[in-house]
Amino acid sequence: MSIFDTLTLKCPACGKPMEFDAVASVNADRRPDLREEIIAESFQGQVCPACQAEFRLDPQMVYFHVAKGLWISVYPVSRLPDWPQLEQQAKTTFALAFGDRAPGPAKQIGRTMKPRLTFGWAGLREKVIAADYQLDDVTLEMAKTLLFRALDRPPLSPGTEVRLVALDGDNMEFGWLELVTGKVVEILTVPRALYDGIVKDPAPWEPLRKDLTEGLFVDVLRLYIVPAAAAAAG
Ligand SMILES: [Zn+2]
């Protein structure tokens, strides 16, 4: 089931209250239209009836698509520094819905699903399209580290992220995005061979695969974003 909650929010432009159907859960098997909107980057966009400003609500939901083996807990980008706690929460949520603590039939389905945690619309879109292209999301994150190495500058300056935006024949297109706005700063096109090379020779990548799959937040950002709790402790 896809679930929406009606919220009253203030328009970020004019401050007038407006009603918004905020998504809590997307079942992509039943609602392929919502999945298409996520890919088209229009999902949860709304126009303020008072001032006509357009904006998009930050995601805080669970997205699941049994046919593709996807179960993804999504939080706003502003929650990134809390990833260790949210990873634990997502683990529990998945266990209850489709994992060890779920009823028999759901547990059965859950065996075919990969639970994940991600942040922001771009993070969700990347996981969704990677599954469409039949790319392994762990290998995809490893390919990003090769991309960083090939670039003549620091890989991730604070406030930026790199997301796969398209696979076009033998080329992969990565977007360099501003974390907060999701705005594309630059598109980097790299040969798909970057990814395929890792698939062909996985042994040297085992340590990194282990680091990336330690929890549900399968993302190079987990290697770069210092958790809020650790930052506070100095
Ligand atoms: Zn407004």
PDB file of all heavy atoms in Angstrom, residues 15 42 54 112 115 124 145 159 162 177 204 206 221:
ATOM      1  N   GLY A  15       4.982  31.959   2.867  1.00  0.00           N
ATOM      2  CA  GLY A  15       4.645  31.696   4.269  1.00  0.00           C
ATOM      3  C   GLY A  15       3.187  31.362   4.538  1.00  0.00           C
ATOM      4  O   GLY A  15       2.817  31.069   5.667  1.00  0.00           O
ATOM      5  N   SER A  42       9.668  14.733 -10.337  1.00  0.00           N
ATOM      6  CA  SER A  42       8.532  15.609 -10.085  1.00  0.00           C
ATOM      7  C   SER A  42       7.726  15.183  -8.855  1.00  0.00           C
ATOM      8  O   SER A  42       6.879  15.934  -8.376  1.00  0.00           O
ATOM      9  CB  SER A  42       7.605  15.634 -11.307  1.00  0.00           C
ATOM     10  OG  SER A  42       7.113  14.336 -11.576  1.00  0.00           O
ATOM     11  N   GLU A  54       6.913  27.128  -6.832  1.00  0.00           N
ATOM     12  CA  GLU A  54       6.987  25.670  -6.912  1.00  0.00           C
ATOM     13  C   GLU A  54       8.022  25.174  -5.924  1.00  0.00           C
ATOM     14  O   GLU A  54       9.075  25.773  -5.780  1.00  0.00           O
ATOM     15  CB  GLU A  54       7.453  25.255  -8.315  1.00  0.00           C
ATOM     16  CG  GLU A  54       6.400  25.457  -9.381  1.00  0.00           C
ATOM     17  CD  GLU A  54       6.947  25.138 -10.754  1.00  0.00           C
ATOM     18  OE1 GLU A  54       7.737  24.176 -10.870  1.00  0.00           O
ATOM     19  OE2 GLU A  54       6.591  25.872 -11.698  1.00  0.00           O
ATOM     20  N   THR A 112      13.976 -11.849  -0.930  1.00  0.00           N
ATOM     21  CA  THR A 112      14.397 -11.426  -2.268  1.00  0.00           C
ATOM     22  C   THR A 112      14.706  -9.923  -2.314  1.00  0.00           C
ATOM     23  O   THR A 112      15.019  -9.393  -3.372  1.00  0.00           O
ATOM     24  CB  THR A 112      13.280 -11.715  -3.299  1.00  0.00           C
ATOM     25  OG1 THR A 112      12.148 -10.858  -3.004  1.00  0.00           O
ATOM     26  CG2 THR A 112      12.834 -13.156  -3.274  1.00  0.00           C
ATOM     27  N   PRO A 115      17.440  -4.470   1.703  1.00  0.00           N
ATOM     28  CA  PRO A 115      17.095  -3.251   2.435  1.00  0.00           C
ATOM     29  C   PRO A 115      18.203  -2.204   2.324  1.00  0.00           C
ATOM     30  O   PRO A 115      19.391  -2.547   2.388  1.00  0.00           O
ATOM     31  CB  PRO A 115      16.943  -3.736   3.880  1.00  0.00           C
ATOM     32  CG  PRO A 115      17.712  -4.998   3.962  1.00  0.00           C
ATOM     33  CD  PRO A 115      17.753  -5.600   2.590  1.00  0.00           C
ATOM     34  N   LEU A 124      17.475   8.433  -3.789  1.00  0.00           N
ATOM     35  CA  LEU A 124      16.444   7.440  -4.084  1.00  0.00           C
ATOM     36  C   LEU A 124      16.409   7.135  -5.589  1.00  0.00           C
ATOM     37  O   LEU A 124      16.389   5.976  -6.001  1.00  0.00           O
ATOM     38  CB  LEU A 124      15.068   7.953  -3.627  1.00  0.00           C
ATOM     39  CG  LEU A 124      13.866   7.093  -4.046  1.00  0.00           C
ATOM     40  CD1 LEU A 124      13.965   5.684  -3.456  1.00  0.00           C
ATOM     41  CD2 LEU A 124      12.554   7.753  -3.622  1.00  0.00           C
ATOM     42  N   THR A 145      34.415   5.652  -6.566  1.00  0.00           N
ATOM     43  CA  THR A 145      35.747   5.925  -6.009  1.00  0.00           C
ATOM     44  C   THR A 145      36.791   5.975  -7.134  1.00  0.00           C
ATOM     45  O   THR A 145      37.747   6.736  -7.052  1.00  0.00           O
ATOM     46  CB  THR A 145      36.162   4.890  -4.931  1.00  0.00           C
ATOM     47  OG1 THR A 145      36.321   3.605  -5.546  1.00  0.00           O
ATOM     48  CG2 THR A 145      35.152   4.799  -3.809  1.00  0.00           C
ATOM     49  N   GLY A 159      29.141  19.342   1.085  1.00  0.00           N
ATOM     50  CA  GLY A 159      27.918  19.855   0.464  1.00  0.00           C
ATOM     51  C   GLY A 159      27.675  19.371  -0.949  1.00  0.00           C
ATOM     52  O   GLY A 159      26.763  19.845  -1.599  1.00  0.00           O
ATOM     53  N   VAL A 162      27.657  12.722  -5.498  1.00  0.00           N
ATOM     54  CA  VAL A 162      27.733  12.248  -6.874  1.00  0.00           C
ATOM     55  C   VAL A 162      26.724  11.124  -7.046  1.00  0.00           C
ATOM     56  O   VAL A 162      26.719  10.173  -6.269  1.00  0.00           O
ATOM     57  CB  VAL A 162      29.159  11.753  -7.190  1.00  0.00           C
ATOM     58  CG1 VAL A 162      29.197  11.036  -8.521  1.00  0.00           C
ATOM     59  CG2 VAL A 162      30.117  12.922  -7.221  1.00  0.00           C
ATOM     60  N   LEU A 177      26.151  16.930  -7.651  1.00  0.00           N
ATOM     61  CA  LEU A 177      24.986  17.671  -7.165  1.00  0.00           C
ATOM     62  C   LEU A 177      25.286  18.435  -5.899  1.00  0.00           C
ATOM     63  O   LEU A 177      26.093  18.009  -5.077  1.00  0.00           O
ATOM     64  CB  LEU A 177      23.828  16.703  -6.859  1.00  0.00           C
ATOM     65  CG  LEU A 177      23.447  15.652  -7.891  1.00  0.00           C
ATOM     66  CD1 LEU A 177      22.371  14.755  -7.316  1.00  0.00           C
ATOM     67  CD2 LEU A 177      22.939  16.305  -9.155  1.00  0.00           C
ATOM     68  N   PRO A 204      40.358  -7.421  -5.533  1.00  0.00           N
ATOM     69  CA  PRO A 204      40.980  -6.263  -4.862  1.00  0.00           C
ATOM     70  C   PRO A 204      39.956  -5.341  -4.189  1.00  0.00           C
ATOM     71  O   PRO A 204      40.323  -4.503  -3.376  1.00  0.00           O
ATOM     72  CB  PRO A 204      41.686  -5.516  -6.001  1.00  0.00           C
ATOM     73  CG  PRO A 204      41.614  -6.379  -7.204  1.00  0.00           C
ATOM     74  CD  PRO A 204      40.555  -7.401  -6.993  1.00  0.00           C
ATOM     75  N   GLU A 206      37.355  -6.325  -2.356  1.00  0.00           N
ATOM     76  CA  GLU A 206      36.672  -6.931  -1.212  1.00  0.00           C
ATOM     77  C   GLU A 206      36.676  -6.060   0.055  1.00  0.00           C
ATOM     78  O   GLU A 206      35.642  -5.918   0.698  1.00  0.00           O
ATOM     79  CB  GLU A 206      37.217  -8.338  -0.920  1.00  0.00           C
ATOM     80  CG  GLU A 206      36.586  -9.428  -1.782  1.00  0.00           C
ATOM     81  CD  GLU A 206      35.064  -9.296  -1.924  1.00  0.00           C
ATOM     82  OE1 GLU A 206      34.363  -9.164  -0.905  1.00  0.00           O
ATOM     83  OE2 GLU A 206      34.573  -9.300  -3.073  1.00  0.00           O
ATOM     84  N   LEU A 221      29.151   8.054   0.619  1.00  0.00           N
ATOM     85  CA  LEU A 221      29.040   9.128   1.616  1.00  0.00           C
ATOM     86  C   LEU A 221      29.301   8.611   3.034  1.00  0.00           C
ATOM     87  O   LEU A 221      29.727   9.355   3.894  1.00  0.00           O
ATOM     88  CB  LEU A 221      27.665   9.807   1.544  1.00  0.00           C
ATOM     89  CG  LEU A 221      27.423  10.744   0.356  1.00  0.00           C
ATOM     90  CD1 LEU A 221      25.979  11.205   0.351  1.00  0.00           C
ATOM     91  CD2 LEU A 221      28.361  11.943   0.388  1.00  0.00           C
TER      92      LEU A 221
END
